[in-house]
Amino acid sequence: MIKAAVVGGSGFIGGELARLLSRHPKISLEAITSRQLAGQKVADTHPFLRGYIDLTFSESITGHGLDVVFLATPHGASMKLVPEIASSGAKVIDLSGDYRLKDPQVYKEWYGHEHTDLENLGRAVYGLNELYWDEIAEADFVSNPGCYPTCSTLGLAPLFANGLVEGGVFIDAKSGTSGAGAELTKATHHPMCGASVNPYKVGRHRHSPEIAQTLTLLQGHPAEVVFTPHLIPVVRGMLCTMYLKLNDDLTKQDLLEMYAEFFRRKRFVRMTEVPWMQAVIGSNHCEIGLDVVGNRNVVVMSAIDNLVKGGAGQAVQNCNAVFGWPEETGLDFPGLGV
Ligand SMILES: NC(=O)c1ccc[n+]([C@@H]2O[C@H](COP(=O)([O-])OP(=O)(O)OC[C@H]3O[C@@H](n4cnc5c(N)ncnc54)[C@H](OP(=O)(O)O)[C@@H]3O)[C@@H](O)[C@H]2O)c1
């Protein structure tokens, strides 16, 4: 068994990581941190872990001889913590936005402050697992993608990688409220969002440049992305509906065959006529469907659980790659259904 710790364990992603790691056959969870809840039982904050995790929150992770550390901390906090953890020799998987954007100027523009850890920024491997497995398998430090970028980029990758997109892409994205974390905010307060669908951060969400960065790399020239996220009245789950124009006359069948080839042997991507968010909730799966409508217009739909494939699940999948285990290790279970 390898030894793991979660930093930022009292939040939604930290709890989800603990849930997945508690049943992982090759990982022993040794420590979970929370500065505010240090000394309290983890299962008191995350009752679903009763009988599975008997740890108390600690302030630090030192003294455990760790092999891997998952950081479930906010952006800005991660880049202060990573240098010391990485120098301890442990592999690091960071779930924040701190190491996803490769250009520090772009990071500053979208996150509003300077990047203070350029050394680790330079060596971080972007952990969009289905696209970069080989690079992740060689990495000591993985930057886990954002939830919206995971959902949308998986749906779009075959089209951009095959150079089939004329112009840019419009992404209409919907997320459950757990995407905003455990901290209370007015926007995620139940009366504000529990019976409504609310667009937010139109044209200025930090996941826009992250999506554009990957699509640009895939097609080899700048990708234009118009991304509008919405909060919907569910807790988990995310669905992106994406619109673009093809630069060639291809049928739906042509595209389905291309997608099947692109995601061949990828355990967690499944093609379906119409993705159903509820079918992936609680699981690490991504469901993708598409259609060709009228004159070269394509609609792609993609669904994930933001906390699993969009966060903790993909982090475990990346950990599996780093340690050379099959991608589904500890993750091979279906969604909830209803
Ligand atoms: N929610 C999602 O769907 C989702 C999906 C993908 C990625 N992510 C990313 O994953 C990270 C965690 O998200 P979340 O939703 O779990 O957030 P959250 O619920 O707000 O939890 C944040 C955690 O970080 C700890 N923390 C905060 N500041 C810290 C600091 N300076 N040093 C050490 N620990 C600190 C908090 O505990 P204490 O304050 O007690 O230490 C808490 O345990 C974020 O970067 C987020 O963007 C989230």
Side-chain angles (χ1 to χ4, degrees), residues 160 165-169 211-225:
F160 279 80
V165 180
E166 180 76 45
V169 58
I211 299 165
Q213 176 178 266
T214 311
L215 297 180
T216 294
L217 285 171
L218 287 173
Q219 74 173 4
H221 58 88
E224 195 179 350
V225 172

mmCIF file of all heavy atoms in Angstrom, residues 160 165-169 211-225:
data_model
loop_
_atom_site.group_PDB
_atom_site.id
_atom_site.type_symbol
_atom_site.label_atom_id
_atom_site.label_comp_id
_atom_site.label_asym_id
_atom_site.label_seq_id
_atom_site.Cartn_x
_atom_site.Cartn_y
_atom_site.Cartn_z
ATOM 1 N N PHE A 160 -11.453 19.004 -32.299
ATOM 2 C CA PHE A 160 -10.310 19.931 -32.379
ATOM 3 C C PHE A 160 -9.029 19.187 -32.752
ATOM 4 O O PHE A 160 -8.226 19.677 -33.536
ATOM 5 C CB PHE A 160 -10.151 20.701 -31.055
ATOM 6 C CG PHE A 160 -11.085 21.872 -30.952
ATOM 7 C CD1 PHE A 160 -12.411 21.697 -30.588
ATOM 8 C CD2 PHE A 160 -10.657 23.155 -31.263
ATOM 9 C CE1 PHE A 160 -13.294 22.777 -30.521
ATOM 10 C CE2 PHE A 160 -11.523 24.244 -31.209
ATOM 11 C CZ PHE A 160 -12.849 24.051 -30.832
ATOM 12 N N VAL A 165 -12.805 22.091 -36.885
ATOM 13 C CA VAL A 165 -13.672 23.170 -36.395
ATOM 14 C C VAL A 165 -13.434 24.456 -37.184
ATOM 15 O O VAL A 165 -12.312 24.953 -37.273
ATOM 16 C CB VAL A 165 -13.425 23.399 -34.886
ATOM 17 C CG1 VAL A 165 -14.322 24.519 -34.374
ATOM 18 C CG2 VAL A 165 -13.674 22.104 -34.108
ATOM 19 N N GLU A 166 -14.528 24.990 -37.711
ATOM 20 C CA GLU A 166 -14.502 26.267 -38.434
ATOM 21 C C GLU A 166 -14.837 27.368 -37.426
ATOM 22 O O GLU A 166 -15.915 27.348 -36.845
ATOM 23 C CB GLU A 166 -15.569 26.215 -39.542
ATOM 24 C CG GLU A 166 -15.674 27.456 -40.391
ATOM 25 C CD GLU A 166 -14.528 27.549 -41.390
ATOM 26 O OE1 GLU A 166 -14.220 26.540 -42.025
ATOM 27 O OE2 GLU A 166 -13.941 28.640 -41.492
ATOM 28 N N GLY A 167 -13.914 28.288 -37.179
ATOM 29 C CA GLY A 167 -14.182 29.326 -36.177
ATOM 30 C C GLY A 167 -14.059 28.762 -34.772
ATOM 31 O O GLY A 167 -13.242 27.868 -34.529
ATOM 32 N N GLY A 168 -14.900 29.262 -33.854
ATOM 33 C CA GLY A 168 -14.765 28.862 -32.458
ATOM 34 C C GLY A 168 -15.882 27.953 -31.984
ATOM 35 O O GLY A 168 -16.562 27.309 -32.779
ATOM 36 N N VAL A 169 -16.040 27.910 -30.655
ATOM 37 C CA VAL A 169 -17.064 27.053 -30.065
ATOM 38 C C VAL A 169 -17.817 27.837 -28.984
ATOM 39 O O VAL A 169 -17.223 28.648 -28.265
ATOM 40 C CB VAL A 169 -16.447 25.755 -29.494
ATOM 41 C CG1 VAL A 169 -15.379 26.054 -28.441
ATOM 42 C CG2 VAL A 169 -17.517 24.833 -28.919
ATOM 43 N N ILE A 211 -9.905 26.039 -20.876
ATOM 44 C CA ILE A 211 -10.489 25.285 -21.996
ATOM 45 C C ILE A 211 -9.789 25.687 -23.292
ATOM 46 O O ILE A 211 -9.377 24.829 -24.091
ATOM 47 C CB ILE A 211 -12.010 25.554 -22.086
ATOM 48 C CG1 ILE A 211 -12.726 25.103 -20.812
ATOM 49 C CG2 ILE A 211 -12.606 24.870 -23.319
ATOM 50 C CD1 ILE A 211 -14.145 25.650 -20.651
ATOM 51 N N ALA A 212 -9.624 27.002 -23.487
ATOM 52 C CA ALA A 212 -9.004 27.495 -24.728
ATOM 53 C C ALA A 212 -7.565 26.987 -24.858
ATOM 54 O O ALA A 212 -7.116 26.649 -25.961
ATOM 55 C CB ALA A 212 -9.034 29.022 -24.748
ATOM 56 N N GLN A 213 -6.854 26.920 -23.732
ATOM 57 C CA GLN A 213 -5.457 26.451 -23.761
ATOM 58 C C GLN A 213 -5.375 25.029 -24.343
ATOM 59 O O GLN A 213 -4.549 24.740 -25.216
ATOM 60 C CB GLN A 213 -4.900 26.485 -22.342
ATOM 61 C CG GLN A 213 -3.488 25.931 -22.187
ATOM 62 C CD GLN A 213 -2.994 26.051 -20.755
ATOM 63 O OE1 GLN A 213 -2.339 27.025 -20.409
ATOM 64 N NE2 GLN A 213 -3.293 25.073 -19.912
ATOM 65 N N THR A 214 -6.234 24.135 -23.860
ATOM 66 C CA THR A 214 -6.161 22.741 -24.328
ATOM 67 C C THR A 214 -6.638 22.618 -25.769
ATOM 68 O O THR A 214 -6.018 21.926 -26.588
ATOM 69 C CB THR A 214 -7.000 21.819 -23.420
ATOM 70 O OG1 THR A 214 -6.656 22.087 -22.066
ATOM 71 C CG2 THR A 214 -6.736 20.351 -23.726
ATOM 72 N N LEU A 215 -7.734 23.303 -26.115
ATOM 73 C CA LEU A 215 -8.252 23.198 -27.488
ATOM 74 C C LEU A 215 -7.247 23.792 -28.479
ATOM 75 O O LEU A 215 -7.083 23.285 -29.595
ATOM 76 C CB LEU A 215 -9.612 23.892 -27.597
ATOM 77 C CG LEU A 215 -10.734 23.276 -26.738
ATOM 78 C CD1 LEU A 215 -12.038 24.041 -26.931
ATOM 79 C CD2 LEU A 215 -10.946 21.793 -27.060
ATOM 80 N N THR A 216 -6.552 24.851 -28.069
ATOM 81 C CA THR A 216 -5.517 25.451 -28.913
ATOM 82 C C THR A 216 -4.387 24.453 -29.162
ATOM 83 O O THR A 216 -3.929 24.279 -30.291
ATOM 84 C CB THR A 216 -4.969 26.733 -28.229
ATOM 85 O OG1 THR A 216 -6.028 27.691 -28.190
ATOM 86 C CG2 THR A 216 -3.780 27.305 -28.980
ATOM 87 N N LEU A 217 -3.953 23.794 -28.099
ATOM 88 C CA LEU A 217 -2.887 22.789 -28.252
ATOM 89 C C LEU A 217 -3.347 21.662 -29.175
ATOM 90 O O LEU A 217 -2.593 21.187 -30.021
ATOM 91 C CB LEU A 217 -2.505 22.208 -26.889
ATOM 92 C CG LEU A 217 -1.658 23.114 -25.999
ATOM 93 C CD1 LEU A 217 -1.533 22.524 -24.602
ATOM 94 C CD2 LEU A 217 -0.273 23.321 -26.620
ATOM 95 N N LEU A 218 -4.607 21.259 -29.026
ATOM 96 C CA LEU A 218 -5.102 20.134 -29.822
ATOM 97 C C LEU A 218 -5.175 20.468 -31.308
ATOM 98 O O LEU A 218 -4.797 19.651 -32.151
ATOM 99 C CB LEU A 218 -6.490 19.697 -29.330
ATOM 100 C CG LEU A 218 -6.526 18.957 -27.992
ATOM 101 C CD1 LEU A 218 -7.969 18.731 -27.550
ATOM 102 C CD2 LEU A 218 -5.802 17.615 -28.076
ATOM 103 N N GLN A 219 -5.648 21.691 -31.648
ATOM 104 C CA GLN A 219 -5.808 21.987 -33.082
ATOM 105 C C GLN A 219 -4.587 22.676 -33.681
ATOM 106 O O GLN A 219 -4.485 22.797 -34.902
ATOM 107 C CB GLN A 219 -7.078 22.786 -33.346
ATOM 108 C CG GLN A 219 -7.038 24.239 -32.931
ATOM 109 C CD GLN A 219 -8.279 25.019 -33.388
ATOM 110 O OE1 GLN A 219 -9.210 24.462 -33.953
ATOM 111 N NE2 GLN A 219 -8.298 26.318 -33.125
ATOM 112 N N GLY A 220 -3.675 23.161 -32.807
ATOM 113 C CA GLY A 220 -2.418 23.724 -33.318
ATOM 114 C C GLY A 220 -2.492 25.185 -33.696
ATOM 115 O O GLY A 220 -1.516 25.756 -34.175
ATOM 116 N N HIS A 221 -3.619 25.846 -33.473
ATOM 117 C CA HIS A 221 -3.728 27.295 -33.638
ATOM 118 C C HIS A 221 -4.811 27.794 -32.679
ATOM 119 O O HIS A 221 -5.625 26.989 -32.196
ATOM 120 C CB HIS A 221 -3.992 27.689 -35.102
ATOM 121 C CG HIS A 221 -5.229 27.080 -35.684
ATOM 122 N ND1 HIS A 221 -6.477 27.671 -35.590
ATOM 123 C CD2 HIS A 221 -5.423 25.921 -36.354
ATOM 124 C CE1 HIS A 221 -7.377 26.903 -36.186
ATOM 125 N NE2 HIS A 221 -6.769 25.830 -36.656
ATOM 126 N N PRO A 222 -4.826 29.104 -32.366
ATOM 127 C CA PRO A 222 -5.700 29.594 -31.296
ATOM 128 C C PRO A 222 -7.170 29.201 -31.452
ATOM 129 O O PRO A 222 -7.743 29.330 -32.533
ATOM 130 C CB PRO A 222 -5.534 31.120 -31.381
ATOM 131 C CG PRO A 222 -4.170 31.300 -31.965
ATOM 132 C CD PRO A 222 -3.988 30.170 -32.950
ATOM 133 N N ALA A 223 -7.736 28.715 -30.363
ATOM 134 C CA ALA A 223 -9.144 28.314 -30.349
ATOM 135 C C ALA A 223 -9.954 29.411 -29.664
ATOM 136 O O ALA A 223 -9.604 29.854 -28.563
ATOM 137 C CB ALA A 223 -9.299 26.994 -29.591
ATOM 138 N N GLU A 224 -11.038 29.833 -30.320
ATOM 139 C CA GLU A 224 -11.898 30.834 -29.699
ATOM 140 C C GLU A 224 -13.012 30.129 -28.927
ATOM 141 O O GLU A 224 -13.719 29.271 -29.475
ATOM 142 C CB GLU A 224 -12.500 31.749 -30.772
ATOM 143 C CG GLU A 224 -13.098 32.994 -30.152
ATOM 144 C CD GLU A 224 -13.679 33.944 -31.199
ATOM 145 O OE1 GLU A 224 -13.457 33.722 -32.411
ATOM 146 O OE2 GLU A 224 -14.372 34.884 -30.794
ATOM 147 N N VAL A 225 -13.141 30.506 -27.650
ATOM 148 C CA VAL A 225 -14.100 29.830 -26.772
ATOM 149 C C VAL A 225 -15.035 30.866 -26.155
ATOM 150 O O VAL A 225 -14.575 31.834 -25.550
ATOM 151 C CB VAL A 225 -13.345 29.086 -25.645
ATOM 152 C CG1 VAL A 225 -14.318 28.544 -24.607
ATOM 153 C CG2 VAL A 225 -12.486 27.961 -26.222
#
